[in-house]
């Protein structure tokens, strides 16, 4: 087993490298970039100022006034050169012993653009040391940004996964035992209908019904904690936290019941029909002893072993829609805004970190299989 784990760990390196190569290459062909975003922001500020001052295209003084808007004439060459060096797209080649500010270097030194291949390997060299750099637009390190958004993702990922397992496994077992009954039929109808309803609609419905939209104001509209959270006792903080997460976690969890419940039911049905179950019953064992002493471990193999992967997918994937509706600033929002702004350090840094964790979780899932059923031997299969 140790040799298998070592092989899987060694495969993480080329797999992660391939993921980064593909995504870095795609960004080279996507229109727009961080400089376009900066120019767009400056143009927006110029338009806002013109609206306030009353200048328009037909005003004779507008032309001279527009010269004051940096966005109206594009980024100054020296400022753009400074940004290209700061963002890692170029470097200054200055005379030996030259010292000057970045703006002075942009005027006095020769700018050399760094080829994409070289930029990629520079980036990967930093990532190996877990140096993900600074965000282009937030003046904050990538690791600091991720750490700031983690509480929301931990909340949604952990509670959604735990509640889904706590409800789906007992329900799936019950459905398998009573397969074909009216209980099996109407519960299947409910969970499939819940799976078919979009998360957006569920979230809006919960807000309208229970957050003061049109009916009852039982739960808060936004955030993970109240404004006076620091002043509350430990019990008060726990209750306040649970009070805030009830609606967003409910909206994310409802759709996850169907797949896990039906997977549990089908796993149990497959095991119940096997010969060893008939033998156990023939020996006079009670039905509960047969189910939980013999069938459970075999039937739950695929369900329990998949827990790490499911948790990571919910934890890092999050839900942009849920975060937006309930005003939760988590990793989903961070990823979306970074993609729109072309904030490459955040995009590539989080992709590297989450890709590495996802690959490691795949190995943990294999170990979970062995833990649940020691008869599985990946080494022999290899």
């Amino acid at each position: 087993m140790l040799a298998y784990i070592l092989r899987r760990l060694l495969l993480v390196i080329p797999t992660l490298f391939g993921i980064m190569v593909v995504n870095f290459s795609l960004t080279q062909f996507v229109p727009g970039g961080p400089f376009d975003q900066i120019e767009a922001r400056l143009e927006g500020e110029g338009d806002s100022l013109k609206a306030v001052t009353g200048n328009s295209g037909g005003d004779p003084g507008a032309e001279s006034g527009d010269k004051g808007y940096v966005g109206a004439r594009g980024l100054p060459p020296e400022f753009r050169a400074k940004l290209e060096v700061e963002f890692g797209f170029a470097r200054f080649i200055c005379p030996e012993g030259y010292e000057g500010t970045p703006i002075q270097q942009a005027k006095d030194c020769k700018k050399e653009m760094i080829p994409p291949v070289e930029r990629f390997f520079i980036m990967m060299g930093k990532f190996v040391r877990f140096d993900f750099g600074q965000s282009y637009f937030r003046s904050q390190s990538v690791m600091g940004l991720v750490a700031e958004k983690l509480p929301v993702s931990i909340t949604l990922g952990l509670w959604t996964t735990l509640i889904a397992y706590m409800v789906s496994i007992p329900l799936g077992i019950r459905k398998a035992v009573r397969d074909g009954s009216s209980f099996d039929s109407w519960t299947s109808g409910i969970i499939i209908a819940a799976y078919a309803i979009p998360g957006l609609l569920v979230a809006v419905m919960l807000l309208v019904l229970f957050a003061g939209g049109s009916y009852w104001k039982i739960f808060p509209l936004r955030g993970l904690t109240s404004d006076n959270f620091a002043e509350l006792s430990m019990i008060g903080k726990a209750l306040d936290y649970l009070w805030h997460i009830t609606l967003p976690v409910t909206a994310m969890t409802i759709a996850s019941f169907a797949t896990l419940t039906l997977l549990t039911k089908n796993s149990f049905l497959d095991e119940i029909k096997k010969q060893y179950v008939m033998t156990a019953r023939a020996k006079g064992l009670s039905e509960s002893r047969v189910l939980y002493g013999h069938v459970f471990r075999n039937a739950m193999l695929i369900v329990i072993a998949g827990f790490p992967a499911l948790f990571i997918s919910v934890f890092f994937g999050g839900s942009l829609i849920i975060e937006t509706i309930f005003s939760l600033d988590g990793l989903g929002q961070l990823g979306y805004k970074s993609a729109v702004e072309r904030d490459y350090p955040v995009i590539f840094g989080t992709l590297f970190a989450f890709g590495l964790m996802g690959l490691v979780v795949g190995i943990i899932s294999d170990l979970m299989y062995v833990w649940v059923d020691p008869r599985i031997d990946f080494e022999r299969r290899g």
Side-chain angles (χ1 to χ4, degrees):
M1 190 63 187
L2 181 60
Y4 170 77
I5 295 174
L6 289 175
R7 285 201 304 270
R8 287 293 303 272
L9 288 174
L10 290 175
L11 281 173
V12 167
I13 299 174
T15 305
L16 187 60
F17 184 81
I19 293 172
M20 298 304 298
V21 167
V22 170
N23 285 274
F24 185 86
S25 301
L26 289 175
T27 60
Q28 307 306 308
F29 302 100
V30 175
F35 306 109
D36 297 316
Q37 297 295 321
I38 294 173
E39 289 182 354
R41 291 185 181 189
L42 292 174
E43 288 175 1
E45 291 175 2
D47 291 339
S48 300
L49 186 56
K50 284 189 288 185
V52 172
T53 57
N55 275 342
S56 63
D59 187 350
E63 183 178 353
S64 60
D66 282 351
K67 293 179 182 179
Y69 305 136
V70 177
R73 62 177 187 272
L75 294 176
E78 296 84 4
F79 182 62
R80 185 182 179 94
K82 172 182 174 295
L83 286 179
E84 288 175 343
V85 172
E86 184 178 331
F87 289 174
F89 289 89
R91 55 182 161 236
F92 290 135
I93 301 178
C94 302
E96 187 176 353
Y98 177 85
E99 294 182 2
T101 64
I103 292 294
Q104 291 173 337
Q105 291 179 4
K107 294 179 179 179
D108 303 334
C109 302
K110 179 183 178 183
K111 183 186 73 174
E112 179 185 69
M113 299 303 295
I114 302 176
V117 175
E118 185 178 348
R119 282 194 283 115
F120 173 77
F121 282 102
I122 292 174
M123 179 186 73
M124 290 301 295
K126 293 180 179 179
F127 285 2
V128 169
R129 304 190 302 271
F130 291 95
D131 176 11
F132 300 123
Q134 299 280 123
S135 168
Y136 287 162
F137 302 101
R138 296 176 177 86
S139 300
Q140 191 175 353
S141 69
V142 175
M143 292 299 291
L145 279 172
V146 172
E148 182 182 317
K149 314 300 181 185
L150 272 181
V152 172
S153 298
I154 290 174
T155 293
L156 296 178
L158 180 62
W159 288 108
T160 299
T161 306
L162 288 179
I163 293 174
Y165 268 82
M166 291 171 62
V167 174
S168 297
I169 291 178
L171 180 59
I173 295 174
R174 186 68 172 170
K175 286 171 63 64
V177 172
R178 303 184 61 179
D179 182 41
S181 66
S182 59
F183 172 82
D184 181 39
S185 300
W186 66 261
T187 52
S188 294
I190 291 175
I191 62 174
I192 292 174
Y195 179 77
I197 300 175
L200 169 64
L201 185 59
V202 173
V204 171
M205 182 179 65
L206 291 175
L207 283 178
V208 171
L209 290 176
F210 303 112
S214 299
Y215 296 91
W216 306 283
K217 189 173 183 180
I218 302 174
F219 298 100
L221 276 172
R222 60 180 61 86
L224 286 180
T225 56
S226 301
D227 294 335
N228 63 336
F229 183 77
E231 304 171 4
L232 301 175
S233 63
M234 290 299 296
I235 297 178
K237 289 181 179 179
L239 293 176
D240 182 76
Y241 170 75
L242 293 174
W243 181 49
H244 278 77
I245 69 172
T246 298
L247 293 186
V249 170
T250 300
M252 285 194 66
T253 306
I254 285 178
S256 64
F257 289 142
T259 303
L260 196 53
T261 300
L262 296 179
L263 178 62
T264 303
K265 174 191 173 182
N266 292 333
S267 298
F268 260 79
L269 286 177
D270 289 341
E271 293 296 323
I272 288 173
K273 297 175 183 177
K274 291 184 177 179
Q275 185 65 42
Y276 75 90
V277 177
M278 299 179 185
T279 303
R281 286 172 175 166
K283 289 181 178 180
L285 296 179
S286 64
E287 191 65 20
S288 60
R289 180 71 183 277
V290 172
L291 281 176
Y292 297 102
H294 292 74
V295 176
F296 185 83
R297 187 171 69 176
N298 296 327
M300 288 293 98
L301 175 63
I302 190 171
V303 178
I304 296 176
F307 179 86
L310 176 63
F311 172 67
I312 289 295
S313 65
V314 177
F315 178 71
F316 290 126
S319 174
L320 174 61
I321 294 176
I322 300 300
E323 290 180 10
T324 301
I325 292 177
F326 292 99
S327 301
L328 300 174
D329 192 9
L331 293 176
Q333 289 269 29
L334 176 64
Y336 172 74
K337 291 178 180 178
S338 299
V340 171
E341 295 173 345
R342 304 297 193 270
D343 198 344
Y344 295 143
V346 178
I347 295 173
F348 292 130
T350 53
L351 178 67
F352 179 87
F354 298 162
L356 177 60
M357 291 182 184
L359 293 171
V360 172
V361 164
I363 301 175
I364 296 175
S365 296
D366 289 347
L367 296 178
M368 289 285 289
Y369 277 106
V370 178
W371 177 70
V372 174
D373 189 351
R375 295 172 298 177
I376 296 177
D377 188 351
F378 288 107
E379 185 64 31
R380 186 177 300 173
R381 288 176 57 192

